[in-house]
Amino acid sequence: MQNPPDDSDLLFLRRSFVRHLAADRRSAATRSAYATAIAQLEAFLIAQRWPTSILARCHALVRFFAWLVDEGELPASPMTPIPAPLAAVRIA
């Protein structure tokens, strides 16, 4: 994939990632939490709004982008240069 995915590509990739998590025997709660984080990323990209829980979303997105790299969808994770937050921070 040469260009960043548009919103329809993200929907497809999110569903594929959740299937991957199921195959990796991640709990339903984990799959749901990660899918929610990615859906919030979609909303952010469309509406320019931040997600509400930085720590949880950061972890989910790190895993998601690492998976995209492993799948050959991206050459590198855009999360790599971003330091993980030290504690949960709520913004609204």
Side-chain angles (χ1 to χ4, degrees):
M1 187 178 309
Q2 297 294 332
N3 298 319
D6 63 25
D7 56 337
S8 61
D9 290 332
L10 284 174
L11 176 62
F12 170 79
L13 292 170
R14 176 171 39 101
R15 289 177 178 162
S16 183
F17 180 58
V18 170
R19 284 192 302 273
H20 162 76
L21 293 172
D24 203 25
R25 300 186 336 176
R26 301 297 175 182
S27 73
T30 296
R31 294 190 310 266
S32 177
Y34 284 17
T36 298
I38 296 162
Q40 288 180 339
L41 171 63
E42 293 167 351
F44 169 77
L45 293 174
I46 293 167
Q48 298 298 303
R49 296 177 60 197
W50 287 98
T52 59
S53 174
I54 301 292
L55 185 60
R57 288 358 175 215
C58 184
H59 179 70
L61 294 175
V62 166
R63 293 280 316 256
F64 175 63
F65 284 112
W67 176 77
L68 289 175
V69 170
D70 289 343
E71 292 294 310
E73 296 291 338
L74 293 174
S77 172
M79 297 298 290
T80 301
I82 301 171
L86 298 177
V89 175
R90 294 194 66 80
I91 59 175

